[in-house]
Every structure is written in structure tokens, then in C-alpha cells.
Amino acid sequence: QGGAEAFCLVTGEIAPVERLHPKIKGVRGAQSSGASIISFNHDAFESFGRKQGDNAPVSERAAFSYTTALNAMLTPNSGHNIRIGDTTVVYWAEASLGKAAALAAERTVSIFLDSPPTDDSEGAKVRYKLAAVSEGRPIKDVEPDVREDTRFYVLGFAPNASRLSVRFWVDTNLGALYQRFTDHWRDLRIEPTPRKRTPTVQDIANESARVITKADGSYRKQFDTVPPLLCGHLMRSLLTGQHYPRTLVSTIIMRIRADSHVSDLRIAALKAFIVRKLRLNKQLTKEDYLVSLDPSSTNIAYNLGRLFAAFAYAETSSRAERNATIRDKYMGAASSTPRRVFPILLRGYEHQRSSLAKSSGKSVGAGVNAEKAIHEIMELLPGQNDLPASLPLEDQSRFFIGFYHQESHFYTKSTKSNESHQTKEQP
């Protein structure tokens, strides 16, 4: 267009500068007519009399190139974009090693980032590949055509008025990205395993939603209560291998304290936050840390969570009618101010124990299991007066992890015992 020439910030060449960059379309939440990454629309943003694109000189050719490429990759079904929360993610591989290697790399990454297919046969293939990654197997076992040194790029956009803000930008190779995926799923690993398929970033973010429990025991999530920036922060943690956002942990703990809904994936997210922080600080002593019940753990917060689960199990086993359980009344306070709450719980358990002693059938066995667990856990804890007055955020996470492990142990043990009993009774 013959505009004034200047030093292009992208190519490093002297060339005509683009005054108004073309719009980028296809970003969720942005204007349907498109939005700009680079634009200046107020005098306060214009320095030394420079107008519009002169403030950030990009040549006409570079501006045309990047906007055309992004608009092509942002079209539906292009195979180069996914939507996660409020963030639109664009990804592509460099074709310098061959187009086949680039396509294989893009196909592999899309499996890791996108929601699993609904088709059963395709879903089985995806589950196999995700399992291979989570087990740390070589990338050639996932995609034989993929080369680890293939350069890979991931760009995250979020709408911001008439502009686009760059949420994250990752420039790496496929081998490093593959290792970050492996670390992510190892960090999330917990037993019992949360659901059959590997959770996506959106699944994890959705665990921060408020949960409404219905009268029949079912529940629903209010997805509009998920923090709007959380998906972008989570995706950046996954792609860069850095710490998980603290917002994720604080929001999940706040939700558990409010709704008492301890789901497998909520606990997996809390566990992942702790394990990743320890690993990055080179303080992780073993790979299976906090994966399953650890009866030998001396961590006070973890054992307090186990003890609370034992009290709740004993209360449930007594089958007495009550308006609210200790889980409803005390879980939030027990996880934050244990010195104030646990003496009350201990006194309540003494009454509960006498009720269990008078019961019959399955309640007797449940009472014995609870009594045994409580005795073992109490041996690992200090006296009531020496309990922590309050627990910081990470220890509150350990409390809920301990609760989940112990509760799962009780009910898994009960299920196996019932199955064994039924097998013996069969002729």
C-alpha cells in the first residue's frame, strides 16, 4: 500500500508499516466481526505523535501473514484450535522436518488437549494413548510417526473488549511438551482412580464450581461459578510445567468447606498442587507420594483428615436418624481450626461408640473397623492441646486428601468383604 517505511519488529527489515492490522476472527467471546492483537485508539497510547500502527511498527507483509495464518487456524474443524473455558487455544507444528511429522505432532497434541471422542472405537484408541503417556512410556509408543525434536507452538487468546489478550505463548519441542503431559497426569494420579477417562483441563477447572446436592443424594454443578481465568492459568501450568494456580486450590477448598462434596477429581487436583510444588522444589521423596492411603504418615493434617473420616464412618454405620451429620456441621471447621473442633468430635464419638456396641449385623463390623482405625490414627497424633490451632492452605489440602483416602479405604474394604461373603454362600 506504499505506507511509510520503518524497522519491522517482526522481520527486522525496513519495510512499509501496516497502519491498521486486519481483524482476527474465531476467538470465543470476542466481537463477531473480529478483534485485533495490535491497535491504538486513544491519544494516551500514542507516543511522540505516532498514530495507530506506527506505535508498534509491523510491516504490511508480516501483518498480512500472521493474521491470515491465525484466521485459517481459528476456523471451525481446522484441527488447530480448541476452546477451554474463556480461552481459545491455537496450536501448530513446524514443518521443517517434513509435513508428515508436523501433522502427526499436531494430531498427538490434540489428543492430549481436546475432549475425548464420543465414538467407542475412537475413544478406545485415545484412552490407550493417554494411558501410555500417563505411564511415562516413550512417545514413539503413542505415535510412531512423531519426532521428538519437532518444534511446536501453542498460543492462548482471551477476549478483551475490542482486542485480544495473549493468555500464554509456548514455544517448545514435542519431546519437552510430551514430558509435561506425562508429569501432569502423574501429578494427578490418585487411588481410587478418578473416572474411567483421563480428565481434561476443563474437567479439572469444573471441580471449582459450586455443587448443589439434591434431596435424593444426586448433585449438580453450577458451572457459572467457575473462576473465569482459571482454565487459562491451568492450561499454562500444563504446557509450561510450572506450578498449578493457587486459585484452583483455594477455590476447591472453599467449595468443599461450603458443600462438603469431596469428589475424586477435587482431591486429585489438591494432590497435584502439592506434589508439583514439592517436585519443582526438589523435595519430592517418592513418586507415589499421596497417591493412596499411607498408614505410616506422620503428617498431622493428613492424619486429622483420616481421623475425621473415621468419625464420619462410625456415625454413618450406626444408622441413627439425624438432621445433619458431622460432615455437614464440622468438616469445614475441622479442616481449618482442628484444636477447637476435634475435642468436640472425640466426645461425640464416645457416645457413638456405645451405640455401635449395642447394634447388630453389619454395624458391628463397621464399628470394629472404625474403632481400630481411630486407635491407630490417634497413636500418630499429639495430644488434644497440642493440635494445630489453624491449618494453612496446603495442610488443609492434606486434610481432605487424608479424608478421601481413609473414607475410600473403609468402603472399598466393606465392598470386598461383602463380595467375598456372597461368594462363600454360593452353592
Side-chain angles (χ1 to χ4, degrees), residues 85-349:
D86 71 328
T87 304
T88 299
V89 181
V90 187
Y91 55 89
W92 67 95
E94 195 172 275
S96 59
L97 298 175
K99 189 174 182 179
L103 291 173
E106 291 164 358
R107 184 171 61 248
T108 302
V109 172
S110 68
I111 289 173
F112 300 150
L113 297 182
D114 212 348
S115 299
T118 55
D119 180 74
D120 290 341
S121 60
E122 289 300 315
K125 295 177 184 178
V126 170
R127 285 194 296 273
Y128 168 78
K129 293 177 180 181
L130 292 174
V133 176
S134 62
E135 292 167 4
R137 288 156 63 184
I139 194 170
K140 63 182 180 181
D141 290 354
V142 181
E143 282 287 353
D145 297 332
V146 165
R147 293 185 54 171
E148 293 190 13
D149 55 347
T150 302
R151 299 300 302 175
F152 207 88
Y153 307 91
V154 188
L155 175 62
F157 281 128
N160 180 19
S162 61
R163 295 182 180 81
L164 300 178
S165 61
V166 176
R167 188 63 60 80
F168 51 81
W169 162 245
V170 178
D171 173 2
T172 184
N173 63 62
L174 196 62
L177 198 59
Y178 178 87
Q179 183 60 49
R180 289 165 192 164
F181 289 133
T182 302
D183 291 341
H184 170 68
W185 281 307
R186 280 180 175 171
D187 292 343
L188 280 173
R189 188 164 68 92
I190 197 166
E191 294 177 3
T193 305
R195 65 196 65 195
K196 294 180 180 179
R197 66 175 176 82
T198 306
T200 64
V201 168
Q202 186 68 64
D203 291 333
I204 299 169
N206 286 344
E207 291 302 311
S208 65
R210 183 184 297 126
V211 172
I212 305 297
T213 303
K214 301 178 183 178
D216 59 359
S218 62
Y219 65 88
R220 63 180 179 86
K221 295 177 181 176
Q222 295 181 319
F223 295 110
D224 58 339
T225 61
V226 175
L229 302 182
L230 185 55
C231 280
H233 294 328
L234 262 174
M235 180 61 78
R236 182 167 53 196
S237 299
L238 167 61
L239 296 172
T240 62
Q242 296 303 307
H243 294 276
Y244 290 110
R246 198 171 181 84
T247 308
L248 175 67
V249 179
S250 60
T251 306
I252 287 178
I253 288 177
M254 178 184 68
R255 299 298 188 212
I256 294 176
R257 293 179 63 182
D259 56 38
S260 300
H261 182 70
V262 182
S263 69
D264 46 16
L265 195 47
R266 275 184 173 181
I267 299 304
L270 298 180
K271 179 257 181 183
F273 176 83
I274 293 173
V275 169
R276 174 159 295 194
K277 183 176 181 180
L278 291 174
R279 182 159 47 78
L280 291 177
N281 293 337
K282 300 186 179 350
Q283 297 174 339
L284 188 62
T285 54
K286 54 182 181 178
E287 278 297 326
D288 61 346
Y289 180 65
L290 292 179
V291 171
S292 58
L293 180 66
D294 185 3
S296 62
S297 174
T298 57
N299 184 273
I300 294 177
Y302 180 80
N303 286 323
L304 285 173
R306 292 181 58 203
L307 184 60
F308 190 88
F311 288 151
Y313 181 70
E315 181 187 58
T316 304
S317 302
S318 68
R319 301 184 180 181
E321 293 293 334
R322 52 183 62 85
N323 294 325
T325 63
I326 62 169
R327 182 167 174 161
D328 299 326
K329 293 191 292 184
Y330 293 112
M331 176 173 273
S335 66
S336 56
T337 55
R339 187 188 298 173
R340 180 172 63 86
V341 175
F342 273 90
I344 301 172
L345 296 176
L346 283 167
R347 289 194 297 271
Y349 173 68

Side-chain angles (χ1 to χ4, degrees), residues 12-91:
E13 300 173 351
I14 301 297
V17 172
E18 183 69 272
R19 180 173 174 271
L20 296 175
H21 291 226
K23 303 284 186 180
I24 296 172
K25 301 178 182 180
V27 176
R28 176 183 290 179
Q31 295 179 356
S32 58
S33 59
S36 300
I37 297 179
I38 301 172
S39 69
F40 303 84
N41 61 344
H42 289 294
D43 292 343
F45 307 146
E46 298 176 346
S47 304
F48 300 99
R50 296 186 179 93
K51 301 293 183 182
Q52 293 293 343
D54 290 338
N55 288 276
V58 175
S59 66
E60 293 174 356
R61 180 174 180 175
F64 171 81
S65 298
Y66 88 79
T67 54
T68 303
L70 283 175
N71 280 324
M73 289 189 287
L74 283 166
T75 57
N77 303 318
S78 70
H80 289 276
N81 69 82
I82 58 173
R83 269 73 171 181
I84 302 175
D86 71 328
T87 304
T88 299
V89 181
V90 187
Y91 55 89

